[in-house]
């Protein structure tokens, strides 16, 4: 899966999210977090794997902690 989320630009927010995601056995593949000095809200791209193929269930898990801007299933390059 790949998602774009908005997260408060305060100390430890990304760490809290990643800790929460680990409780659901989510494996993080990549994170792109571009912090801007004067902005309260930051946007973050996260690619991850989870052993759950129901996109709505996975999205609901994440939405409990952060606001999702984009969320989609990223087809594995090896499964053509």
């Amino acid at each position: 899966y790949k998602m774009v989320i908005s997260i408060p630009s305060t100390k430890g927010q990304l760490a809290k999210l990643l800790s929460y995601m680990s409780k659901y056995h989510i494996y993080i593949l990549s994170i792109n977090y571009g912090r801007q000095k004067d902005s309260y809200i930051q946007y973050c791209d996260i690619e991850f794997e989870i052993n759950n193929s129901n996109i709505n269930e996975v999205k609901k898990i994440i939405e409990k902690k952060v606001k999702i801007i984009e969320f989609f299933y990223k087809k594995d390059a090896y499964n053509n």
Side-chain angles (χ1 to χ4, degrees):
Y1 295 96
K2 183 172 183 175
M3 65 181 174
V4 177
I5 57 170
S6 66
I7 133 178
S9 180
T10 55
K11 186 176 182 179
Q13 291 302 312
L14 182 57
K16 288 178 187 176
L17 173 63
L18 296 177
S19 177
Y20 169 77
M21 291 172 70
S22 73
K23 292 178 184 177
Y24 290 92
H25 305 286
I26 294 174
Y27 178 75
I28 304 298
L29 300 172
S30 71
I31 298 174
N32 185 7
Y33 180 76
R35 188 172 185 278
Q36 298 173 2
K37 262 195 320 190
D38 300 326
S39 180
Y40 175 69
I41 297 292
Q42 297 297 319
Y43 294 99
C44 181
D45 299 341
I46 301 177
E47 288 186 43
F48 63 94
E49 292 179 345
I50 184 172
N51 197 13
N52 185 336
S53 60
N54 186 325
I55 192 169
N56 292 322
E57 286 180 16
V58 176
K59 190 174 178 181
K60 285 179 184 179
I61 290 169
I62 304 299
E63 284 181 322
K64 290 179 183 178
K65 290 294 178 184
V66 293
K67 181 178 179 184
I68 297 175
I69 307 300
E70 292 181 21
F71 191 92
F72 55 92
Y73 174 74
K74 186 175 177 182
K75 187 176 181 183
D76 186 0
Y78 299 108
N79 293 332
N80 289 329

